[in-house]
Each structure stands twice: as structure tokens, then as C-alpha cells.
Amino acid sequence: MTTESHEYHSESDYTRNLHEKCQKYMYHHVVLTMTDGSSFDGIIEGIDDDRITALVGEDVMERESDELEDRQYYGGYGRPRRRRFRRFRRRFIPLAALAALSLLPYAYPSPYYYPYYPYY
């Protein structure tokens, strides 16, 4: 009677697949989903055996002192504008805490051109 050995590589295969996927999407803007359910977007910058280095985007709002300058510049009329900026910070993410990885979907322009008036 022979005993068949079933090798279960679920954890190591999954980690290896994520590692290969990270290498494939290196320097691309991706969505990283963590095992705790949180997700964020970033750019994969480097890959080690047990962690990845990603530039994670965060939104930054303008300070209120700059808002007063906008009011003075526009003569006090209208609504003051608060500008929003996007800043990227480097974060080290353990590969074991990563649940999923996907490319960030962008809206592509239509390949078909529809003119506003017909050409005759």
C-alpha cells in the first residue's frame, strides 16, 4: 500500500504569486488591498523577499492662511478656493499583510471620434 503525500503550498504559493505580480507591476500605479480590508493606491518602487516598498499617495489641503491671500487677491468676492494637492510618501508593506494587488483603472479616451457637425 502506498501513501500519497499531498503537498499543500497554499501560503507559500500565494505569497510567491503576489511577489511575481509585484515584480510585474513594478513602477505602475496600483491598488493595494491589505488583509484587514483597508486599501490604498500607490506606486511599487522596490521588492524584497518579505516586503515591498511603495510610494503611497495622500491628499493634502491648503492651509487657511493661504486661503486669506486668495480672498484678498480676488477682492473678497466669491467663494474662497482651497486647493488640494497629492503627495506621495514611501511605505514599507509586509508581503504577508498584502491580500490583493491590481492595476489602478484609468479612464481611457474613446478611440472613435464623433465630430459635432458632419463633414460633407
Side-chain angles (χ1 to χ4, degrees):
M1 182 169 190
T2 61
T3 58
E4 295 179 18
S5 65
H6 296 286
E7 296 180 19
Y8 295 102
H9 297 289
S10 61
E11 188 66 32
S12 63
D13 285 343
Y14 184 71
T15 306
R16 186 176 43 220
N17 289 340
L18 276 177
H19 192 274
E20 290 171 1
K21 203 170 188 182
C22 287
Q23 284 180 341
K24 181 180 175 185
Y25 293 151
M26 195 158 175
Y27 302 116
H28 286 80
H29 204 169
V30 296
V31 176
L32 303 159
T33 305
M34 309 304 286
T35 54
D36 63 354
S38 63
S39 65
F40 49 88
D41 63 310
I43 301 169
I44 297 177
E45 187 179 43
I47 305 164
D48 292 335
D49 291 335
D50 59 344
R51 69 178 183 173
I52 64 171
T53 306
L55 296 172
V56 178
E58 62 182 31
D59 292 329
V60 179
M61 296 299 288
E62 194 173 44
R63 292 190 308 244
E64 290 186 23
S65 63
D66 296 335
E67 196 174 298
L68 293 174
E69 293 173 8
D70 282 345
R71 281 189 204 160
Q72 292 172 357
Y73 180 76
Y74 290 107
Y77 296 107
R79 219 172 102 198
R81 295 182 314 151
R82 288 191 73 187
R83 289 190 237 165
R84 189 178 94 171
F85 301 100
R86 186 94 169 146
R87 176 173 40 199
F88 288 88
R89 298 221 184 228
R90 184 171 285 117
R91 286 184 59 185
F92 299 102
I93 302 159
L95 202 56
L98 191 63
L101 177 73
S102 62
L103 283 174
L104 189 69
Y106 286 103
Y108 294 105
S110 174
Y112 304 107
Y113 177 71
Y114 297 109
Y116 293 105
Y117 54 90
Y119 292 105
Y120 293 103

